[in-house]
């Protein structure tokens, strides 16, 4: 991989991580008022997925590009996390195809890509 490609890949990964942070904070802010227990549990699951993506999972270039196609990257990643088995190391991009994610989740607007 050439240096400009590496820089571009790092910028895309940084953008994905920024979007994951923003999504988690937006979901947390939505709990203002009197959240239900289910909403709190849902936030816990999103927080766990967020932590794993940022600290444990090795994101590939294809994973980054695939997730950046969606409006709520964390929601989509969380659904991938829910359908995968811990013993399997299925790439996120393959899971997105398997679960027909393009039909299930809103895509990012062209200005965000």
């Amino acid at each position: 991989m050439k240096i400009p490609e590496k820089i571009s890949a790092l910028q895309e990964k940084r953008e994905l991580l920024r979007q994951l942070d923003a999504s988690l904070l937006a979901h947390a802010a939505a709990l203002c008022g009197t959240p239900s227990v289910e909403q709190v549990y849902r936030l816990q699951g999103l927080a766990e997925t967020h932590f794993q993506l940022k600290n444990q999972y090795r994101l590939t270039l294809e994973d980054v590009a695939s997730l950046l196609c969606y409006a709520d990257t964390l929601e989509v990643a969380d659904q991938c996390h829910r359908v995968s088995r811990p013993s399997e190391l299925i790439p996120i991009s393959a899971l997105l195809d398997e679960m027909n994610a393009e039909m299930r989740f809103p895509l990012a607007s062209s200005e965000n890509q």
Side-chain angles (χ1 to χ4, degrees):
M1 184 182 290
K2 297 179 182 178
I3 291 181
E5 292 170 346
K6 286 182 181 180
I7 291 171
S8 178
L10 286 173
Q11 288 171 334
E12 285 184 357
K13 185 174 180 181
R14 245 184 264 130
E15 175 59 22
L16 174 63
L17 295 177
R18 187 197 64 73
Q19 286 184 23
L20 291 170
D21 290 348
S23 176
L24 181 60
L25 293 173
H27 283 279
L31 292 182
C32 290
T34 310
S36 68
V37 171
E38 292 81 17
Q39 289 172 311
V40 173
Y41 287 161
R42 177 78 181 117
L43 183 61
Q44 178 184 359
L46 289 171
E48 288 173 4
T49 298
H50 178 273
F51 180 83
Q52 288 176 348
L53 285 174
K54 290 194 76 172
N55 298 293
Q56 297 171 339
Y57 186 80
R58 188 174 207 122
L59 289 164
T60 66
L61 295 175
E62 193 173 2
D63 292 337
V64 171
S66 295
L67 286 171
L68 284 173
C69 292
Y70 296 93
D72 189 339
T73 54
L74 183 57
E75 176 72 28
V76 175
D78 187 57
Q79 289 303 311
C80 288
H81 180 249
R82 289 171 185 262
V83 300
S84 67
R85 292 175 194 87
S87 61
E88 295 178 322
L89 293 174
I90 300 173
I92 289 173
S93 52
L95 286 170
L96 292 172
D97 289 340
E98 183 180 303
M99 59 193 236
N100 203 16
E102 285 187 10
M103 301 300 284
R104 295 180 56 199
F105 301 102
L107 297 173
S109 64
S110 58
E111 60 205 39
N112 291 345
Q113 292 184 4

